[in-house]
């Protein structure tokens, strides 16, 4: 399988965190024993590049690196900056070739200046959202989301939302199982709330405590069983009311919402990685029946289970 090449464009000044995210996550993707991505960082003026932290980073590649990329990702600064016309030209040429274009944080200003966001949904760092809307009124600004995909163009809001965007890219290219593995290796949440229905999955908040961790782990090992609130509370050794309060405090959702999310994610992974029947997958994930599986998968992804499997199955790629 050929490497998927990602060109990360570093503006000046650049957020070091923005630059670290693609290398951290894409670099952990392994497919059939080899890397799934090649990440190349480039900049309009190769050499020392100022950062928002007061340091200089040495970037040796110029914008010619964009020419051979499958995905172009424009990093941001976390603050307002003047868009470099050379970067805009490189992005326009890449988009004309049909490659995927993405941005983190204020990198959205480059995509907007290139005209790629006209008539599209987009987002950026919340402190810059109104300026982006004012300067580029033809775009449809989504201010309450972590990332947005509109066709072949993706934008994310500030800082850590770049993690969500890169995991979404990995999930799109290689499936949820691979993306979840990368998230575990990087010690980040596979999905977080984005205030919108993402194509891949409805995210969960980052866990903020450990009091219910054992019970969550036990539930994950018993998803095929008809677990109830009483079952969860009994395992945790507390009342249903206490469990619900602690669970919501730690996970941001109710125990049953969390449980349903995990059941759907288990079903999606089985659709991607096995040839089990729909009834078998529904049973293994605790969703009951193939009809229930279809309802939940379609509501979550916009695809029927069969269509989801056809789109994201790793078995075809491995064969």
């Amino acid at each position: 399988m050929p490497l998927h090449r990602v060109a990360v464009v570093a503006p000046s000044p650049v957020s070091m965190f923005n630059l670290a995210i693609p290398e951290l996550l894409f670099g952990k993707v392994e497919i059939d024993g080899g890397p799934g991505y090649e990440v190349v960082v480039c900049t309009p003026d190769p050499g020392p590049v100022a950062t928002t932290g007061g340091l200089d980073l040495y970037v040796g590649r110029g914008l010619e690196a964009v020419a051979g990329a499958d995905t172009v990702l424009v990093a941001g600064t976390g603050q307002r900056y003047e868009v470099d016309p050379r970067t805009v030209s490189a992005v326009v040429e890449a988009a004309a070739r049909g490659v995927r274009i993405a941005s983190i944080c204020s990198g959205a200003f480059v995509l907007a200046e290139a005209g790629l966001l006209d008539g599209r949904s987009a987002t950026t760092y919340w402190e810059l959202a109104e300026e982006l809307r004012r300067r580029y009124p033809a775009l449809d600004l989504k201010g309450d989301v972590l990332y947005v995909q509109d066709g072949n163009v993706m934008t994310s809001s500030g800082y850590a939302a770049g993690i969500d965007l890169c995991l979404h890219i990995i999930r799109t290219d290689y499936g949820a199982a691979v993306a979840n593995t990368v998230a575990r290796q990087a010690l980040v949440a596979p999905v977080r709330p984005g205030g919108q229905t993402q194509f891949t999955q409805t995210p969960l908040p980052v866990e903020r405590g450990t009091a219910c961790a054992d019970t969550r782990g036990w539930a994950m090992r018993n998803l095929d069983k008809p677990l109830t609130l009483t079952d969860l509370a009994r395992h945790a050794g507390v009342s249903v009311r206490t469990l619900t309060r602690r669970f919501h405090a730690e996970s941001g959702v109710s125990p049953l919402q969390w449980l349903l999310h995990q059941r759907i994610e288990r079903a999606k992974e089985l659709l991607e990685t096995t040839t089990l029947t729909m009834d078998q997958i529904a049973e293994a994930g605790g969703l009951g029946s193939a009809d229930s599986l279809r309802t939940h998968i379609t509501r979550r992804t916009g695809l029927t289970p069969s269509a989801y499997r056809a789109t994201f199955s790793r078995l075809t790629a491995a064969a």
Side-chain angles (χ1 to χ4, degrees), residues 44-127:
D45 296 306
V49 176
T51 72
T52 54
L55 302 176
D56 285 347
L57 293 177
Y58 185 85
V59 179
R61 299 292 299 274
L63 292 176
E64 72 279 354
V66 172
D70 302 297
T71 296
V72 177
L73 196 162
V74 182
T77 69
Q79 62 189 40
R80 182 182 183 279
Y81 70 97
E82 293 302 322
V83 174
D84 191 304
R86 294 168 294 177
T87 301
V88 173
S89 296
V91 168
V92 168
E93 293 172 6
R97 296 196 309 272
V99 306
R100 181 167 54 201
I101 310 293
S103 67
I104 299 176
C105 196
S106 54
F109 282 78
V110 173
L111 275 57
E113 186 68 21
L116 300 184
L117 301 184
D118 290 353
R120 295 182 187 271
S121 297
T123 192
T124 191
Y125 184 43
W126 67 270
E127 287 189 339

Side-chain angles (χ1 to χ4, degrees), residues 138-285:
L139 63 80
D140 178 17
L141 182 67
K142 304 295 185 184
D144 62 344
V145 299
L146 292 174
Y147 63 89
V148 177
Q149 176 173 356
D150 192 327
N152 215 30
V153 178
M154 304 178 180
T155 52
S156 65
S157 55
Y159 299 108
I163 296 174
D164 302 279
L165 175 69
C166 289
L167 287 174
H168 171 66
I169 290 173
I170 294 169
R171 195 177 295 112
T172 299
D173 291 341
Y174 295 112
V178 173
N180 291 347
T181 296
V182 170
R184 285 193 295 270
Q185 291 174 335
L187 300 179
V188 297
V191 286
R192 295 194 299 146
Q196 64 175 352
T197 302
Q198 299 287 3
F199 177 75
T200 51
Q201 54 196 1
T202 300
L204 282 179
V206 179
E207 293 176 0
R208 298 185 295 271
T210 59
C212 296
D214 287 345
T215 297
R216 287 194 293 268
W218 173 78
M220 289 291 292
R221 295 189 297 273
N222 290 276
L223 288 178
D224 58 324
K225 297 179 175 62
L227 301 178
T228 65
L229 268 177
T230 301
D231 295 327
L232 295 172
R234 183 181 298 114
H235 182 274
V238 296
S239 68
V240 169
R241 177 177 294 182
T242 299
L243 173 81
T244 301
R245 176 174 51 80
R246 290 180 181 175
F247 215 99
H248 198 282
E250 293 183 11
S251 302
V253 293
S254 72
L256 293 184
Q257 287 175 319
W258 179 90
L259 190 60
L260 177 60
H261 178 92
Q262 303 304 335
R263 293 189 191 285
I264 295 171
E265 289 306 304
R266 175 66 58 80
K268 287 168 61 180
E269 186 163 344
L270 292 174
L271 285 168
E272 294 177 23
T273 60
T274 75
T275 59
L276 294 174
T277 67
M278 299 306 167
D279 281 318
Q280 289 172 325
I281 290 174
E283 183 178 353

